[in-house]
């Protein structure tokens, strides 16, 4: 269902150089399967789709129904891997303008806990005043400051507005089985909770309750999402020959481009609904590969919007970039350009064409222009924006990331660099336990 075309990289790297990765990719696949790669404690995502049971999905759907029945708005609190996957899928599948999905009788989904913006949180709490809202509190560690701070505000407001008993029903926790403040609170307050498996890292957790519960609350079919991922788990499996395996080919091609000086990968979409898929991808690849002084820098653009901002740079700037385009073959709706007797705007040459045909020609024209400008181009074709296809796309990127990290020689499953800012922030905020760091950092100010 997802297919990859790498032909427009061949003017920059050779077909043979990609084929030369076959043995190394096989080694990567085996290391992932046998748990012998770096970070092997975090390989729970690898066969996650095919291990999801009907009972688990039913439990998630029943909990989603409780939230749908009792809430006009559900705020999903989380950051990084505990945020982006749910948002990516919900935005990809949602109507861009129907805020309250009345037809599906689903609550509006809002997000918090992914920033520390006082205005953002103030405006959110104002918006929620008088509304029947619930909260899904997502944090694997259960201690992430951004999320914990938002949840503290939301919990209090929910209890104040709806009473302790209802709040207990409409607050759900998704966290570690045993550790962390989110677990302590969930157990003490008697919230319904779901566990994030120990061996699934945040950015690989979209197919755990972290992504599945908010997606189900938003009214989308998580059975189909998982089915799409299962299909891609097979299509990207260790037994699939290298040339036919999209995850293997993508991982090999991006590493070969990187070796040839293409240090920046720009993920491109031509459909604004995919904006957060790009954001999710940036986190997946940035946090997985950017370490030990190595790693392709993951950037993203929404075309054709950003052709009018970043297009110039991409066409003629430093030649250290390549593009990966997510191309959606079929739009969900049909809209034809009308004819106009006066033709004042000169657009009658488009009359009768679907808007998507114009978009597709923009896509094709851009690909050729950028290749001519020295930018290698890969294309990932997705048949349509459906649950199955999105599930498949997410798994494809996860599997390719696991292989790609191995090819790069890094541990793709940790993120030690993320701790540095937290240590400084805690020291500056005088968090108990950070006294020495507090003193040291103040001396530097
Ligand atoms: O991928 C990761 O591990 C991170 O991006 C985390 O998801 C993020 O830092 C949030 O962590 P937590 O779920 O512990 O609150």
């Amino acid at each position: 269902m997802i297919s990859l075309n790498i032909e427009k990289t061949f003017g920059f790297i050779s077909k043979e150089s990609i084929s030369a990765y076959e043995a190394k990719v096989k080694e990567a696949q085996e290391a992932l399967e046998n748990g012998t790669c770096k970070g092997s404690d975090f390989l729970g995502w690898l066969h996650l789709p095919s291990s999801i049971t009907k009972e688990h999905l039913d439990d998630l759907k029943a909990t989603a129904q409780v939230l749908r029945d009792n809430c006009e708005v559900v705020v999903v609190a989380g950051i990084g891997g505990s945020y982006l996957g749910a948002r990516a899928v919900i935005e990809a599948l949602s109507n861009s303008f129907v805020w309250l999905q009345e037809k599906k009788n689903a609550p509006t989904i809002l997000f918090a806990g992914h920033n520390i913006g006082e205005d953002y949180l103030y405006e959110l709490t104002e918006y929620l005043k008088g509304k029947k809202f619930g909260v899904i509190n997502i944090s694997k560690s259960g201690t992430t400051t951004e999320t914990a701070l938002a949840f503290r505000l939301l919990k209090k407001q929910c209890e104040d507005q709806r009473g302790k008993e209802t709040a207990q029903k409409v607050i759900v926790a998704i966290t570690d089985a045993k550790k962390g403040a989110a677990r302590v609170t969930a157990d003490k307050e008697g919230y319904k909770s779901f566990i994030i498996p120990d061996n699934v890292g945040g950015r690989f957790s979209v197919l755990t309750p972290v992504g599945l519960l908010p997606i189900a609350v938003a009214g989308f079919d998580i059975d189909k999402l998982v089915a799409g991922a299962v299909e891609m788990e097979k299509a990207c499996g260790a037994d699939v020959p290298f040339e036919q395996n999209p995850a293997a080919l993508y991982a090999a091609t991006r590493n070969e481009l990187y070796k040839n000086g293409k240090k920046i990968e720009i993920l491109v979409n031509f459909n604004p609904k995919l904006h957060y898929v790009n954001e999710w991808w940036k986190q997946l690849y940035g946090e997985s590969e950017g370490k030990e002084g190595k790693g392709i820098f993951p950037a993203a653009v929404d075309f054709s919007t950003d052709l009018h901002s970043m297009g110039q740079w991409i066409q003629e700037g430093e030649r250290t970039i390549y593009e990966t385009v997510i191309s959606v073959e079929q739009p969900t709706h049909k809209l034809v350009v009308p004819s106009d007797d006066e033709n004042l705007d000169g657009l009658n040459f488009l009359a009768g064409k679907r808007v998507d045909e114009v978009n597709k020609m923009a896509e094709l024209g851009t690909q050729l222009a950028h290749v001519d400008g020295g930018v290698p181009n890969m294309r990932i074709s997705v048949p349509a924006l459906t649950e199955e296809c999105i599930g498949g796309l997410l798994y494809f990127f996860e599997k390719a990331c696991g292989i790609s990290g191995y090819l790069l020689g890094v541990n793709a499953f940790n993120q030690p660099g993320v701790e540095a800012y937290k240590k400084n922030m805690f020291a500056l905020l005088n968090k108990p336990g950070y006294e020495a760091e507090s003193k040291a950092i103040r001396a530097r100010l």
Side-chain angles (χ1 to χ4, degrees):
M1 43 132 86
I2 306 290
S3 61
L4 175 75
N5 186 328
I6 60 169
E7 273 172 30
K8 293 279 187 286
T9 65
F10 291 153
F12 307 90
I13 51 176
S14 68
K15 208 170 183 174
E16 295 68 43
S17 70
I18 301 297
S19 302
Y21 278 80
E22 183 168 355
K24 192 77 181 164
V25 165
K26 189 165 183 278
E27 194 184 301
Q29 292 266 34
E30 281 168 7
L32 290 168
E33 291 295 333
N34 302 332
T36 52
C37 60
K38 291 179 186 169
S40 57
D41 287 350
F42 290 94
L43 293 174
W45 58 272
L46 188 62
H47 294 298
L48 179 66
S50 57
S51 69
I52 296 174
T53 62
K54 182 180 175 310
E55 291 67 36
H56 182 54
L57 291 171
D58 287 347
D59 190 11
L60 286 160
K61 284 187 265 181
T63 306
Q65 197 56 49
V66 172
L67 292 172
R68 288 161 62 87
D69 289 343
N70 291 282
C71 304
E72 297 166 85
V73 177
V74 170
V75 185
V76 180
I79 193 167
S82 291
Y83 153 63
L84 285 161
R87 188 157 198 178
V89 176
I90 291 170
E91 301 245 346
L93 296 173
S94 290
N95 185 302
S96 309
F97 300 98
V98 182
W99 192 233
L100 180 66
Q101 296 165 328
E102 280 156 358
K103 269 196 216 138
K104 291 184 172 178
N105 194 25
T108 301
I109 308 292
L110 300 178
F111 295 91
H114 57 293
N115 62 51
I116 325 176
E118 183 161 342
D119 289 342
Y120 184 94
L121 288 168
Y122 176 85
E123 286 162 14
L124 174 65
T125 51
E126 280 295 301
Y127 175 79
L128 293 172
K129 274 188 187 156
K131 293 201 169 63
K132 288 199 229 160
F133 79 92
V135 186
I136 304 176
N137 185 35
I138 310 178
S139 178
K140 186 171 185 205
S141 63
T143 56
T144 300
T145 311
E146 289 88 340
T147 306
L149 179 57
F151 183 63
R152 176 180 279 220
L153 291 164
L154 293 166
K155 175 177 185 284
K156 181 173 183 321
Q157 187 173 356
C158 189
E159 288 173 352
D160 290 349
Q161 274 178 217
R162 309 198 66 184
K164 193 100 182 151
E165 206 178 310
T166 304
Q168 189 210 31
K169 194 156 85 178
V170 296
I171 296 177
V172 179
I174 304 176
T175 187
D176 187 81
K178 295 195 188 81
K179 37 178 216 302
R183 170 52 58 199
V184 173
T185 309
D187 289 349
K188 168 144 188 312
E189 300 287 3
Y191 299 149
K192 169 74 180 172
S193 69
F194 290 93
I195 293 166
I196 308 173
D198 272 348
N199 61 357
V200 180
R203 58 190 173 276
F204 288 85
S205 70
V206 57
L207 296 169
T208 73
V210 169
L212 296 179
L213 182 63
I215 293 164
V217 174
F220 300 112
D221 189 329
I222 55 174
D223 292 346
K224 289 183 178 167
L225 188 86
V226 170
V230 171
E231 204 177 309
M232 276 319 275
E233 186 186 322
K234 287 188 202 131
C236 300
D239 52 341
V240 178
F242 175 70
E243 304 281 352
Q244 291 154 33
N245 187 324
L249 275 181
Y250 177 56
T253 307
R254 59 198 304 281
N255 274 275
E256 182 60 13
L257 288 165
Y258 182 58
K259 260 177 47 190
N260 283 272
K262 305 297 182 190
K263 307 284 186 192
I264 300 165
E265 176 171 2
I266 305 178
L267 190 70
V268 177
N269 69 66
F270 277 82
N271 186 323
K273 286 175 192 275
L274 289 174
H275 177 83
Y276 276 94
V277 168
N278 284 16
E279 292 301 305
W280 172 84
W281 170 89
K282 265 160 56 179
Q283 191 221 356
L284 180 65
Y285 280 81
E287 241 176 36
S288 298
E289 295 193 323
K291 48 197 71 155
E292 298 173 31
K294 300 192 268 194
I296 297 163
F297 182 83
V301 290
D302 301 324
F303 283 171
S304 68
T305 311
D306 292 331
L307 283 171
H308 298 259
S309 64
M310 295 297 289
Q312 173 60 37
W313 199 103
I314 295 170
Q315 188 69 45
E316 295 182 350
E318 194 179 65
R319 302 296 75 186
T320 47
I321 58 172
Y322 65 96
E323 288 179 311
T324 301
V325 178
I326 302 179
S327 180
V328 181
E329 286 163 18
Q330 277 301 325
T332 311
H333 306 288
K334 186 173 176 185
L335 186 64
V336 173
V337 181
S339 176
D340 186 299
D341 286 347
E342 293 196 81
N343 195 26
L344 295 177
D345 54 12
L347 284 186
N348 269 357
F349 72 102
L350 298 178
K353 291 192 197 302
R354 288 183 67 170
V355 172
D356 191 58
E357 191 179 337
V358 183
N359 199 31
K360 288 287 188 300
M361 292 310 112
E363 183 184 318
L364 190 56
T366 304
Q367 184 194 48
L368 297 175
H370 289 182
V371 169
D372 287 347
V375 182
N377 187 289
M378 283 190 262
R379 178 186 283 155
I380 297 164
S381 294
V382 179
L385 290 188
T386 61
E387 283 93 337
E388 287 95 336
C389 291
I390 300 290
L393 182 67
L394 298 179
Y395 185 84
F396 156 77
F397 277 133
E398 288 183 357
K399 183 67 190 280
C401 186
I403 298 172
S404 185
Y406 185 92
L407 298 179
L408 191 65
V410 297
N411 176 351
F413 309 111
N414 65 2
Q415 54 284 328
V418 179
E419 296 310 310
Y421 97 91
K422 292 186 193 167
K423 204 177 93 192
N424 288 347
M425 178 175 79
F426 293 149
L428 290 163
L429 287 168
N430 298 317
K431 184 173 176 173
Y434 285 77
E435 291 76 11
E437 286 89 346
S438 231
K439 221 171 141 194
I441 202 162
R442 281 178 204 293
R444 289 175 55 199
L445 297 176

